[in-house]
Amino acid sequence: AAILPTLDVDRAVDEVQRLAKKGFRVVSAPIGIQDQPYSLPIYEPLWDVLEDTGMVFSMHFITGTRDHLPKDAGEENNGGMLSYMINAMAEGIQPTTFLLSSGVPMRHPDLNFVIVECGAGWLGWTLYALDEQYERKHMWIEPKLDMKPSEYFKRNGHVTFGDDPVALATLDFIGDDVLLWGSDYPHDEGTFPHSQEVIDRIFDGYPEETKRKIVHDNAARLYGFPAG
């Protein structure tokens, strides 16, 4: 994934065009930009060029512009590192809600985006809550959407995960087309060198078709890999 100069949208557009000519299929952007969230109209030219080139917009865990690492992160007695990791994983909610609530997928039906390395257990609740609040508070909410927020995500959004059986337990809410399994090699929170054991454990009891889609087929479709 090529790193995108996302803060400068004009430069980001030029870079997407350059990278597309070189054969790149995905660009990596901050998971959040504190003073320039992805809900703003300033990004419309970027969404246009991503859609036109078919480039996937990827937002990776702990790449936001806000440094929220607590001062006690290295002090085990205060639990700073553990709380930091969990709160950082929950940051996947923010770009998801910004993009869906502002109607980006409605205006750009061929735009694909991915939340990377945040796990996916949070996604079912987020999509359900977005639908519920949009329905209950429709008289106050703008822009008006043509579909439910969850329906846009199921068409345009994706989330990666490794050892997250909670994500699979929410398939009734999110479907099996949006999840991408990944080993996160060689990070310590990844599944290497026990990836196969993890896959066997978390997919135990699920249909083989569902397992194959999440472990292989969804990524092949999204990134244009050979089906194999």
Side-chain angles (χ1 to χ4, degrees):
I3 297 176
L4 199 65
T6 316
L7 194 60
D8 187 328
V9 176
D10 290 338
R11 287 185 61 199
V13 168
D14 291 342
E15 184 68 351
V16 169
Q17 293 170 334
R18 185 183 77 87
L19 292 167
K21 293 176 182 177
K22 287 183 170 290
F24 280 86
R25 300 172 183 176
V26 55
V27 292
S28 183
I31 198 166
I33 299 178
Q34 189 170 5
D35 298 323
Q36 193 174 294
Y38 293 129
S39 54
L40 297 182
I42 191 174
Y43 290 106
E44 283 299 307
L46 179 58
W47 309 141
D48 283 335
V49 73
L50 289 169
E51 193 174 30
D52 290 343
T53 60
M55 197 84 78
V56 178
F57 188 65
S58 180
M59 294 159 282
H60 194 283
F61 169 67
I62 313 185
T63 57
T65 59
R66 183 173 67 92
D67 182 10
H68 54 82
L69 183 67
K71 293 180 180 179
D72 62 352
E75 301 175 19
E76 293 184 8
N77 290 340
N78 294 334
M81 181 56 72
L82 180 57
S83 62
Y84 166 67
M85 291 297 294
I86 301 307
N87 283 297
M89 291 174 69
E91 282 189 319
I93 295 174
Q94 188 177 79
T96 298
T97 57
F98 280 155
L99 290 169
L100 299 181
S101 298
S102 62
V104 171
M106 179 174 66
R107 297 188 299 275
H108 302 275
D110 294 323
L111 172 68
N112 286 294
F113 63 90
V114 185
I115 309 298
V116 179
E117 205 181 319
C118 290
W122 52 268
L123 181 61
W125 173 83
T126 300
L127 297 184
Y128 182 86
L130 281 167
D131 288 353
E132 180 193 35
Q133 292 302 307
Y134 183 80
E135 180 179 354
R136 291 178 180 274
K137 296 182 173 62
H138 62 89
M139 68 289 288
W140 311 113
I141 292 175
E142 296 289 346
K144 302 303 181 189
L145 304 177
D146 295 334
M147 299 192 302
K148 294 179 179 180
S150 65
E151 293 173 334
Y152 287 115
F153 192 93
K154 291 175 183 178
R155 187 186 68 188
N156 299 79
H158 307 79
V159 177
T160 74
F161 74 103
D163 189 348
D164 188 355
V166 176
L168 297 175
T170 65
L171 286 178
D172 287 346
F173 294 94
I174 64 178
D176 59 8
D177 293 321
V178 304
L179 295 180
L180 309 173
W181 182 87
S183 68
D184 193 30
Y185 172 85
H187 293 166
D188 53 2
E189 68 267 25
T191 60
F192 177 84
H194 306 290
S195 296
Q196 190 59 60
E197 292 95 322
V198 170
I199 291 172
D200 291 342
R201 171 169 52 80
I202 65 175
F203 284 95
D204 183 38
Y206 290 92
E208 187 65 26
E209 179 184 3
T210 295
K211 175 181 175 181
R212 179 176 175 83
K213 287 176 69 174
I214 295 172
V215 174
H216 178 276
D217 292 353
N218 291 345
R221 169 178 49 81
L222 177 64
Y223 297 114
F225 298 147

